Amino acid sequence: MTSLGSDGRSDTPAHRIDTSKPHPARMYDYFLGGKDNYEVDQEAAEEFMKAAPEVREGVLANRRFMRRAVEYLVTEGGIRQILDIGTGLPTEPNVHQIARALAPETRVVYVDNDPIVSTHSMALLNEPDTSVVLADLRDPRGILDHPDVRRLIDLDEPVALLLVAVVHFVSDAEDPGGILAILRDALPDGSYLVLSHATGDVHEDRREGAAAVYRKATASMNLRPHARVTEFFGDFALVEPGLVRVTDWRPEEPVAAGAPLIGIYGGVARKDG
């Protein structure tokens, strides 16, 4: 984890923040209208928007899905501890804010592999029972064994694991199924998995152009079909309405007529013994 100096500032060495290539977290921040990104991220994001003009609507829809899922976890699932892997740069409302508005005792650990995320998330450490860990989804055991994760997350009690718009940055060669299996197996009964994932099912004609942008980034984007994304939930039971486009997961109001189709699937599933 990034350490803090005596003045509360991050001790993350500046050279560890790679600004030579676009980073998905910083591109996502740009899509959301944030300012924690670099020119290389902005250029890649603009190129991506040419291939997928609906991307801004997509990331906003993904954020709204995350909020509804967290509200469900806390109110209906009774969850009081959340492990959010691939959190990205802080964007309000953050997971801990959503959860604690409903259950103030909820504990939250954020994980991301970009040092700039940790650097810009240090303010979260002023929140009780919240931590920000610099680690990579591709090393699930390293995350599960991290002292800050162990300090706040009790793996003997139900946990909500959030993998929101991150697994599509893990290539098939890096074995996303195996990674997910390790994480799922570590969770006790009564735990939940929240996952959203980009797909080419919706805009098949744009798949290659969109994916090409991320080949220049620190992680490629791997668009996967519905059946493959479903496999990531393993034997967890999907709650209604199952794995659907994020706009269709328990929406607060009907999708507006003429709204762009969003190529992101989202689902919430429970581990039952």
Side-chain angles (χ1 to χ4, degrees), residues 3 5 9:
S3 62
R9 296 176 63 83

Side-chain angles (χ1 to χ4, degrees), residues 199-263:
T199 182
D201 291 350
V202 176
H203 299 291
E204 293 188 20
D205 58 322
R206 302 180 190 169
R207 283 186 299 190
E208 181 56 31
V213 175
Y214 278 91
R215 292 195 197 105
K216 306 171 190 175
T218 57
S220 63
M221 177 177 282
N222 304 273
L223 305 177
R224 296 186 172 102
H226 188 274
R228 182 71 178 105
V229 178
T230 301
E231 292 175 1
F232 292 142
F233 290 93
D235 59 359
F236 282 33
L238 281 158
V239 303
E240 291 296 330
L243 181 66
V244 295
R245 292 199 305 265
V246 288
T247 49
D248 297 331
W249 197 90
R250 303 191 177 208
E252 295 173 343
E253 54 188 39
V255 178
L261 292 176
I262 303 303

Side-chain angles (χ1 to χ4, degrees), residues 40-118:
V40 66
D41 308 304
Q42 297 162 15
E43 291 175 351
E46 290 289 342
E47 185 178 352
F48 188 88
M49 285 190 286
K50 292 177 182 177
E54 74 286 352
V55 63
R56 278 213 158 109
E57 290 88 347
V59 296
L60 289 170
N62 186 64
R63 290 287 302 182
R64 289 191 287 267
F65 160 74
M66 181 272 291
R67 177 178 56 77
R68 296 193 302 274
V70 171
E71 290 172 347
Y72 168 85
L73 294 170
V74 175
T75 58
E76 298 188 44
I79 289 295
R80 295 297 182 267
Q81 48 182 0
I82 299 173
L83 178 60
D84 181 2
I85 302 177
T87 180
L89 288 150
T91 302
E92 293 192 353
N94 292 289
V95 168
H96 71 285
Q97 295 167 322
I98 299 166
R100 288 182 186 155
L102 301 166
E105 69 274 24
T106 305
R107 302 186 302 278
V108 179
V109 176
Y110 296 101
V111 179
D112 203 277
N113 71 347
D114 186 3
I116 198 173
V117 172
S118 291

Side-chain angles (χ1 to χ4, degrees), residues 11-211:
D11 288 337
T12 300
H15 69 268
R16 292 181 60 191
I17 300 176
D18 184 1
T19 61
S20 65
K21 293 182 178 180
H23 190 282
R26 301 194 302 258
M27 289 175 64
Y28 195 87
D29 176 71
Y30 182 77
F31 292 141
L32 287 170
K35 299 180 180 178
D36 295 323
N37 48 72
Y38 296 97
E39 184 176 355
V40 66
D41 308 304
Q42 297 162 15
E43 291 175 351
E46 290 289 342
E47 185 178 352
F48 188 88
M49 285 190 286
K50 292 177 182 177
E54 74 286 352
V55 63
R56 278 213 158 109
E57 290 88 347
V59 296
L60 289 170
N62 186 64
R63 290 287 302 182
R64 289 191 287 267
F65 160 74
M66 181 272 291
R67 177 178 56 77
R68 296 193 302 274
V70 171
E71 290 172 347
Y72 168 85
L73 294 170
V74 175
T75 58
E76 298 188 44
I79 289 295
R80 295 297 182 267
Q81 48 182 0
I82 299 173
L83 178 60
D84 181 2
I85 302 177
T87 180
L89 288 150
T91 302
E92 293 192 353
N94 292 289
V95 168
H96 71 285
Q97 295 167 322
I98 299 166
R100 288 182 186 155
L102 301 166
E105 69 274 24
T106 305
R107 302 186 302 278
V108 179
V109 176
Y110 296 101
V111 179
D112 203 277
N113 71 347
D114 186 3
I116 198 173
V117 172
S118 291
T119 300
H120 284 263
S121 299
M122 286 301 110
L124 297 178
L125 292 178
N126 295 323
E127 294 277 345
D129 295 330
T130 305
S131 187
V132 184
V133 170
L134 184 62
D136 198 304
L137 173 60
R138 297 169 186 83
D139 180 19
R141 287 261 40 116
I143 293 174
L144 294 168
D145 294 337
H146 194 285
D148 271 22
V149 174
R150 288 295 189 180
R151 177 173 61 87
L152 289 179
I153 302 296
D154 181 357
L155 291 176
D156 291 326
E157 298 292 334
V159 180
L161 171 62
L162 270 59
L163 296 171
V164 177
V166 63
V167 178
H168 50 234
F169 293 117
V170 180
S171 70
D172 288 343
E174 293 166 322
D175 189 19
I179 292 169
L180 267 291
I182 291 172
L183 292 169
R184 291 195 311 267
D185 289 348
L187 303 181
D189 290 348
S191 294
Y192 286 85
L193 169 60
V194 177
L195 186 147
S196 65
H197 194 296
T199 182
D201 291 350
V202 176
H203 299 291
E204 293 188 20
D205 58 322
R206 302 180 190 169
R207 283 186 299 190
E208 181 56 31

